[in-house]
């Protein structure tokens, strides 16, 4: 009888060890919150709340769409090395009339399909659909909002996520502009991998308020520009610290730009970002990266191409 008790205790110990090991493999990844599309914003460390360079602003401050000075389409590829996530995004503006713009975008995010992940068989596929609207209410001020829809599927489940953001953009002079945005309103999709299956759950996205400003020299209307400075701050509702962003863009010649950015959350983390852009006539290729491990090792490439010129019929 005593031998049986000893054997049962040993078996129970090993079963508990196996259960603990299986639970230890569980990992969670959020994919439903939209990536920042546009490698220029990565080079600025995300400090684009007060800027309006192209349609990518629909992910930072949708109100800035009303002040776009081009109708180019963006094609963006993103690779987040820390989680092996890849994301492809296509975004385009639609100019309804002067001071009224709609931004539309579609994206595909995936993990584990192009290369084997360190998380064994963790595989997910996510589709995103984004629509933004912005309108000037006076010549120097606009309001806007974005609706983000996400659909995710794995071999075990499917789920929808819905979130939104709202913004305000103030452009009093060509030398400076300001912006404010409320982001993360809604739910996201939570990916859970337990070592065998990939499960999907709904979870709230962290809400935050961002404010930012951009200074330009010379003015935005000038044919050549030497540099831009972009600053922003973010207060997340579920975290005590304030997050700070800053970026500098230098244009030594008209067709090349270099960028450096800095992000800091007090007593939490800090990292630098880098980027550059090369223009070929009306085409432009941008690259941005945050190579540090604390910044998720993010790399992004964006091609900007003028498919059609809607501005000729409006301005």
């Amino acid at each position: 009888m005593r031998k049986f008790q000893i054997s049962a205790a040993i078996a129970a110990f090993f079963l508990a060890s196996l259960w603990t090991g299986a639970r230890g493999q569980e990992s969670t990844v959020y994919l439903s919150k939209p990536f920042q599309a546009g490698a220029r914003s990565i080079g600025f460390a995300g400090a684009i709340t007060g800027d309006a360079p192209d349609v990518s602003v629909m992910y930072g401050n949708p109100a800035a769409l009303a002040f776009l000075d081009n109708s180019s389409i963006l094609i963006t590829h993103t690779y987040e090395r820390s989680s092996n996530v890849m994301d492809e995004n296509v975004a385009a503006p639609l100019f309804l009339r002067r001071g009224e713009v709609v931004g539309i975008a579609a994206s595909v995010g995936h993990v584990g399909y192009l290369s084997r992940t360190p998380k064994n068989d963790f595989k997910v596929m996510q589709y995103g659909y984004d629509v933004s609207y912005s309108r000037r209410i006076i010549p120097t001020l606009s309001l806007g909002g974005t609706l983000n829809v996400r659909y995710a599927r794995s071999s075990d489940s499917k789920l929808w996520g819905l979130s939104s953001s709202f913004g305000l953009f103030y452009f009093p002079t060509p030398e400076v502009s300001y912006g404010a945005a409320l982001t993360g309103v809604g739910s996201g999709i939570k990916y859970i991998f337990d070592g065998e299956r990939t499960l999907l759950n709904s979870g709230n996205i962290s809400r935050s308020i961002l404010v930012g400003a951009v200074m330009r020299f010379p003015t935005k209307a000038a044919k050549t520009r030497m540099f831009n400075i972009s600053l922003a701050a973010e207060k997340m509702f579920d975290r005590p610290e304030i997050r700070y962003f800053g970026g500098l863009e230098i244009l030594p010649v008209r067709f090349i730009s270099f960028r450096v950015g800095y992000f800091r959350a007090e007593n939490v983390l800090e990292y630098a970002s880098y980027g550059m852009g090369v223009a070929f006539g009306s085409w432009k290729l941008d690259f941005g990266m945050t190579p540090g491990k604390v910044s998720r090792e993010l790399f992004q490439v964006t091609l900007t191409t003028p498919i059609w010129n809607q501005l000729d019929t409006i301005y």
Side-chain angles (χ1 to χ4, degrees):
M1 182 66 179
R2 185 171 179 79
K3 289 183 178 180
F4 173 77
Q5 291 175 341
I6 294 174
S7 299
I10 294 173
F13 173 78
F14 276 105
L15 286 173
S17 300
L18 290 173
W19 171 254
T20 302
R23 297 291 295 177
Q25 292 180 354
E26 183 175 289
S27 59
T28 301
V29 179
Y30 265 97
L31 292 181
S32 58
K33 187 174 182 179
F35 278 108
Q36 284 184 341
R40 184 175 185 271
S41 67
I42 301 297
F44 276 127
I48 60 167
T49 309
D51 204 4
D54 50 52
V55 70
S56 66
V57 299
M58 64 184 288
Y59 292 101
N61 183 359
L65 283 170
F67 287 92
L68 294 184
D69 56 7
N70 69 78
S71 56
S72 296
I73 290 179
L74 266 66
I75 303 172
T76 299
H77 170 73
T78 306
Y79 174 50
E80 187 181 87
R81 185 177 179 182
S82 59
S83 57
N84 209 32
V85 175
M86 293 188 181
D87 185 88
E88 281 73 49
N89 180 288
V90 177
L94 300 176
F95 289 77
L96 303 182
R97 55 178 176 264
R98 186 180 181 90
E100 188 173 6
V101 181
V102 170
I104 57 173
S107 62
V108 178
H110 48 91
V111 180
Y113 284 90
L114 297 183
S115 61
R116 191 168 181 80
T117 73
K119 298 182 176 68
N120 300 323
D121 295 324
F122 177 61
K123 289 185 177 182
V124 294
M125 183 71 75
Q126 177 180 276
Y127 303 92
Y129 312 95
D130 309 299
V131 179
S132 297
Y133 174 78
S134 176
R135 182 175 182 179
R136 298 188 196 181
I137 56 177
I138 60 175
T140 58
L141 180 68
S142 64
L143 300 176
T146 298
L147 179 65
N148 309 113
V149 180
R150 294 293 178 269
Y151 170 72
R153 63 175 174 84
S154 68
S155 58
D156 300 289
S157 55
K158 302 175 182 179
L159 193 64
W160 289 86
L162 186 66
S163 62
S164 59
S165 61
F166 307 92
L168 176 150
F169 194 79
Y170 181 50
F171 206 155
T173 68
E175 294 86 1
V176 63
S177 57
Y178 307 89
L182 171 65
T183 67
V185 181
S187 63
I189 302 172
K190 187 177 182 180
Y191 297 78
I192 301 175
F193 182 64
D194 61 6
E196 296 180 357
R197 298 178 302 164
T198 301
L199 304 177
L200 307 177
N201 288 328
S202 180
N204 291 328
I205 298 176
S206 297
R207 295 185 185 182
S208 64
I209 294 179
L210 294 107
V211 294
V214 173
M215 292 164 280
R216 308 171 184 87
F217 180 82
T219 67
K220 187 176 182 180
K223 293 183 178 180
T224 60
R225 197 179 312 163
M226 294 179 61
F227 63 86
N228 301 316
I229 299 175
S230 183
L231 303 172
E234 179 183 27
K235 180 63 180 76
M236 304 185 74
F237 288 20
D238 58 353
R239 298 181 186 180
E241 75 276 359
I242 298 178
R243 299 148 63 98
Y244 300 95
F245 312 78
L248 172 66
E249 181 179 43
I250 301 174
L251 298 89
V253 292
R254 189 172 183 177
F255 57 90
I256 295 179
S257 57
F258 299 97
R259 308 177 188 108
V260 60
Y262 176 74
F263 168 85
R264 184 174 189 268
E266 189 173 1
N267 300 323
V268 180
L269 77 155
E270 58 183 333
Y271 61 81
S273 64
Y274 311 92
M276 69 173 297
V278 180
F280 306 92
S282 56
W283 293 64
K284 189 176 181 182
L285 183 66
D286 289 291
F287 173 73
M289 64 176 178
T290 57
K293 291 185 178 180
V294 296
S295 62
R296 302 180 304 174
E297 297 178 283
L298 191 69
F299 303 88
Q300 194 171 93
V301 179
T302 298
L303 176 65
T304 306
T305 172
I307 299 300
W308 71 93
N309 191 351
Q310 305 168 62
L311 301 179
D312 287 344
T313 61
I314 297 175
Y315 295 96

